[in-house]
Amino acid sequence: MRRSRPYPADEKMTEDKPAGSTGSPVSPPGGHGAARRVTVVVATRNRRRDLERSLPRHEAPVILVDNGSTDGTPAFVRERFPHVEVVEAGRNLGAPGRDLGVRLARTPYVAFADDDSWWAPGALARAVDVLDAHPRLAVLAGRVLVGPEERPDPICHGMAASPLPAEPDLPGPSVLGFLACGAVVRRAAHLAAGGFDDVVFFFGEEERLALDLAAAGWGLAYVDGVVAHHHPSPSRDPEGRRALAVRNAVLTAVMRRPWPVVARAVLTAARGGPPGRRGLRDAVPRLPRALARRRVPPRRVEEARASLDAPRP
């Protein structure tokens, strides 16, 4: 891993600071109170054009984790955005690359963003206030507006209408999932739960983490008033993404769901046409690692998760 600045000789490594790391990121110009309480962590790979649009919009210090770009992204960001701290992972770590940034952050909260997303003005300050006021809240799932039309992501509709029981010490509907590019997390809780994992790697990486946080007694809630913008490029391989979703759903089930749920996930995938069968094939090489990490959560968490699969009236 390579960082933007040299490692000072008098600074000792800590548990949260990998070798080759240094200090806190520099605050962006025009930063405000939120900059002292939250850090934006962005993972990227070969997306210079998107970063040029999104990086200036963040209202807090930014740590950019480069997952092995070959288009000169790290040098470009260092030159154009000197206030951004760049971490070069050296290879594609997938979603776990974000955890490099989480470990390096020196704020109690971390806001995730993709290279093609950014937080709305004032959103991070509101998120900090909400997290300060709700000490059991580990994940604040915000409202994600997609594209120039600012359409709410369908997942946000589902979170807003969550069937999970309301919890009085949480600021909104309880959830057991979230969109990473629209989430602000409590850093200590995120790290204690293991962060993202390299079994799923990318796409749907949030579910296993959500289950583990809930199992540890943390709360996750949807807060409609905290807004992120996401301008994704059109998918060049929609069938490939469907296969990836199947693969990762099966792997997550193997890691955290009861065996009957795993069996249903496999059967559904097998009946899901070419993308489903491809997803199953792609899951096979990762199964040994998924099985090694298998840990079914407490009954209360599994019952809550199962309720999300039940048909709604």
Side-chain angles (χ1 to χ4, degrees):
M1 182 181 71
R2 182 186 169 197
R3 290 282 297 281
S4 297
R5 297 184 290 279
Y7 186 54
D10 61 347
E11 182 172 325
K12 296 181 179 178
M13 286 189 296
T14 67
E15 182 181 43
D16 289 339
K17 185 178 290 186
S21 67
T22 175
S24 299
V26 178
S27 297
H32 44 67
R36 295 189 295 273
R37 303 282 289 160
V38 63
T39 302
V40 177
V41 170
V42 180
T44 190
R45 188 169 187 268
N46 294 332
R47 301 289 289 274
R48 283 174 50 169
R49 183 171 298 178
D50 289 319
L51 290 169
E52 187 171 17
R53 176 175 58 175
S54 64
L55 286 178
R57 299 174 183 260
H58 295 301
E59 295 180 335
V62 177
I63 297 176
L64 177 80
V65 180
D66 184 80
N67 271 335
S69 290
T70 57
D71 65 350
T73 290
F76 168 78
V77 172
R78 289 185 179 108
E79 179 180 351
R80 291 291 300 274
F81 306 101
H83 65 277
V84 171
E85 183 171 2
V86 179
V87 181
E88 295 185 53
R91 60 191 176 93
N92 188 3
L93 299 178
R98 297 189 188 108
D99 292 336
L100 294 179
V102 176
R103 293 188 185 98
L104 292 168
R106 288 296 176 265
T107 53
Y109 311 128
V110 171
F112 294 120
D114 290 345
D115 39 32
D116 54 8
S117 77
W118 57 89
W119 292 92
L124 295 180
R126 284 192 288 275
V128 165
D129 289 343
V130 171
L131 283 155
D132 281 347
H134 299 84
R136 195 171 68 85
L137 182 64
V139 177
L140 185 160
R143 179 161 51 107
V144 178
L145 302 179
V146 180
E149 304 87 3
E150 299 193 340
R151 294 172 285 104
D153 190 290
I155 291 177
C156 295
H157 290 306
M159 291 191 290
S162 171
L164 300 179
E167 299 186 55
D169 62 340
L170 296 181
S174 296
V175 297
L176 273 177
F178 57 95
L179 290 169
C181 71
V184 185
V185 303
R186 193 174 300 272
R187 177 179 176 274
H190 178 91
L191 292 175
F196 299 106
D197 68 78
D198 60 358
V199 176
V200 169
F201 192 74
F202 178 71
F203 202 55
E205 67 273 16
E206 300 92 347
E207 183 179 357
R208 191 235 88 228
L209 176 58
L211 292 171
D212 286 359
L213 286 165
W218 290 102
L220 300 85
Y222 176 69
V223 179
D224 193 71
V226 175
V227 176
H229 296 275
H230 187 202
H231 287 213
S233 56
S235 175
R236 291 186 289 265
D237 184 12
E239 186 165 311
R241 287 181 73 84
R242 288 195 292 272
L244 185 60
V246 169
R247 184 198 79 174
N248 291 344
V250 169
L251 291 170
T252 299
V254 169
M255 287 192 287
R256 293 294 181 270
R257 305 296 303 279
W259 286 118
V261 176
V262 177
R264 287 197 297 272
V266 171
L267 184 60
T268 299
R271 294 172 173 172
R277 292 190 290 272
R278 176 181 165 185
L280 281 178
R281 288 195 303 270
D282 291 347
V284 170
R286 295 173 179 265
L287 280 176
R289 282 186 292 157
L291 288 166
R293 301 182 191 186
R294 179 170 171 79
R295 186 175 70 250
V296 177
R299 182 175 177 178
R300 61 176 175 80
V301 176
E302 172 53 33
E303 288 178 349
R305 177 62 186 84
S307 73
L308 300 178
D309 296 331
R312 300 191 194 182

